[in-house]
Amino acid sequence: MELLFDSAALPERDRAAAWMDTTARALVTTDCKLLDVARFRARLHTTALGSGRLSVMSYGPLRSLRTPGLIRRSDPEHYQVAVILSGRQRLEQAGNRALLHPGDMVFYDTSRAFDARVEPEDTDDSGSKSLLLQFPRRLVPLAESDLARLLAVPLPGRQGIGRVMSGFLADLAAERSRCGPQDLARLGSTAVDLAVALLAHHLGDERAGAPSRSPREVLFLRVTTFVEQHLHHPGLTPAAIASAHQISLRYLHRIFQDHRTSVAAYVRDRRMDRCRRDLSDPGLRHLPVQAIGARWGYPGPSEFSRAFRAATGLPPGRYRDLARAAGGAGRQPSAPVPGPARGR
């Protein structure tokens, strides 16, 4: 697994900010506060599993808050399932509170505020360690209103389906280096299926009777998740997408036609959504316009300017100025700007 963070390589004064930055990129944005600076140690290993991601993390006394403001600013719209390996962790979300011990599992949602803590008395100097699986919410065919009952509720990980899932994740973390990219993508699909089975089990059959999705619909969800994860890549073409999923280009086009769009139009619209969001964010004001285009798959400034003007009716610099006048992160211009071009 890729080692993203090791606090031992950093001066004590820099560890909190570096941990917050690393977890924002790899997991989700939070505000962190060290509860015992002298004892804070942290490590994070992570690996991509197709549409999901598996992380092994350990950290010392810490409070991590995900606030409504942070959600408005950045939300990957993921569910997360954690397996506690050592130490204790505390989690509050959706009115529920959990004190988690080794062997427990817990489910939470990046689109809702939460308060996660490891108190000084919850761990020794090695930190509290856990496995964390995260995956797009839209891959779960269960009602959000039902799933809310399971947020921040301890789930048993040493018996039944919890033991099956926690064992699978532990084995996957241990054997990741012996698996190729295609293997990991397939194993990631299995991990998500196990997570859905775990959640359905704890909801009970009468509350988890949502109709199953067809293989074609599941493939569409996986393809669009792949697109979301690779919007930054200029080579994200229909042919590249089809190849990554081992399907024909013709079949890929048919799947998107079922949803009244095309592959190219979907990629373009999602890139434009990200560009508009970043141009409207005062926290990214330091980035040149062309840098925002490049981070979402437009390496050339003229290409980005043409595409953005075609989609919104404005050049990107003017759009940013109007967004700044509108005020506030995430607030887009109120002027009568056309939405993304919808021609297919």
Side-chain angles (χ1 to χ4, degrees):
M1 302 183 80
E2 181 185 1
L3 175 62
L4 288 187
F5 185 90
D6 186 347
S7 62
L10 295 170
E12 190 174 278
R13 66 181 182 276
D14 296 335
R15 291 175 181 175
W19 175 253
M20 195 156 52
D21 178 66
T22 300
T23 54
R25 288 185 287 110
L27 304 173
V28 68
T29 306
T30 59
D31 284 330
C32 296
K33 179 182 179 181
L34 304 190
L35 302 181
D36 188 337
V37 175
R39 290 180 55 199
F40 180 74
R41 305 287 188 275
R43 288 173 64 88
L44 172 64
H45 294 77
T46 186
T47 190
L49 301 174
S51 58
R53 179 170 292 275
L54 178 63
S55 301
V56 181
M57 54 198 303
S58 61
Y59 50 91
L62 174 77
R63 184 178 187 184
S64 181
L65 290 169
R66 182 149 173 82
T67 64
L70 289 175
I71 294 169
R72 287 192 297 270
R73 183 168 179 175
S74 174
D75 184 13
E77 298 184 359
H78 281 177
Y79 286 134
Q80 299 181 325
V81 176
V83 182
I84 310 304
L85 300 177
S86 66
R88 295 189 301 184
Q89 297 186 21
R90 303 163 192 263
L91 178 66
E92 297 181 23
Q93 188 172 55
N96 297 327
R97 295 183 178 183
L99 175 59
L100 304 161
H101 298 82
D104 287 340
M105 305 178 74
V106 68
F107 167 65
Y108 52 111
D109 183 350
T110 68
S111 298
R112 292 174 178 253
F114 64 71
D115 183 347
R117 286 171 291 149
V118 171
E119 299 284 358
E121 64 269 24
D122 291 336
T123 182
D124 56 24
D125 287 342
S126 64
S128 178
K129 187 175 182 180
S130 59
L131 291 166
L132 181 68
L133 175 70
Q134 60 185 41
F135 50 91
R137 289 158 47 105
R138 58 185 175 177
L139 293 183
V140 180
L142 303 172
E144 285 186 41
S145 56
D146 291 341
L147 289 170
R149 297 194 297 114
L150 297 181
L151 295 171
V153 173
L155 305 175
R158 289 180 169 168
Q159 61 190 43
I161 192 170
R163 181 176 179 179
V164 172
M165 181 174 178
S166 59
F168 177 83
L169 294 180
D171 288 344
L172 181 52
E175 298 299 322
R176 176 257 175 269
S177 63
R178 297 177 174 87
C179 302
Q182 294 298 330
D183 299 322
L184 291 172
R186 295 186 186 101
L187 291 169
S189 297
T190 301
V192 173
D193 289 343
L194 282 172
V196 172
L198 174 80
L199 298 171
H201 170 79
H202 286 289
L203 288 174
D205 291 341
E206 75 283 359
R207 297 296 301 275
S212 60
R213 289 173 170 145
S214 70
R216 192 151 158 162
E217 178 66 16
V218 171
L219 179 58
F220 175 77
L221 292 172
R222 287 178 177 158
V223 168
T224 53
T225 298
F226 176 86
V227 168
E228 294 289 337
Q229 294 174 335
H230 293 84
L231 288 173
H232 64 283
H233 200 297
L236 188 66
T237 63
I241 295 168
S243 176
H245 291 83
Q246 299 182 329
I247 60 176
S248 70
L249 184 58
R250 184 174 182 180
Y251 187 53
L252 178 68
H253 285 308
R254 284 181 181 173
I255 292 171
F256 276 77
Q257 286 168 4
D258 289 346
H259 294 266
R260 298 183 179 181
T261 187
S262 70
V263 186
Y266 184 89
V267 172
R268 179 195 65 220
D269 289 353
R270 295 305 297 139
R271 280 175 168 162
M272 285 297 112
D273 285 345
R274 298 296 185 90
C275 290
R276 288 199 305 272
R277 182 198 67 185
D278 286 359
L279 289 168
S280 301
D281 187 347
L284 299 178
R285 187 72 184 177
H286 64 286
L287 290 180
V289 164
Q290 60 267 29
I292 287 177
R295 78 190 308 204
W296 297 118
Y298 295 101
S302 58
E303 177 191 2
F304 175 47
S305 183
R306 285 195 302 271
F308 193 88
R309 184 188 286 271
T312 67
L314 288 171
R318 177 59 178 157
Y319 187 92
R320 170 180 266 182
D321 290 341
L322 289 174
R324 187 179 187 184
R331 292 188 59 186
Q332 297 184 0
S334 57
V337 179
R342 296 291 174 182
R344 308 298 178 203

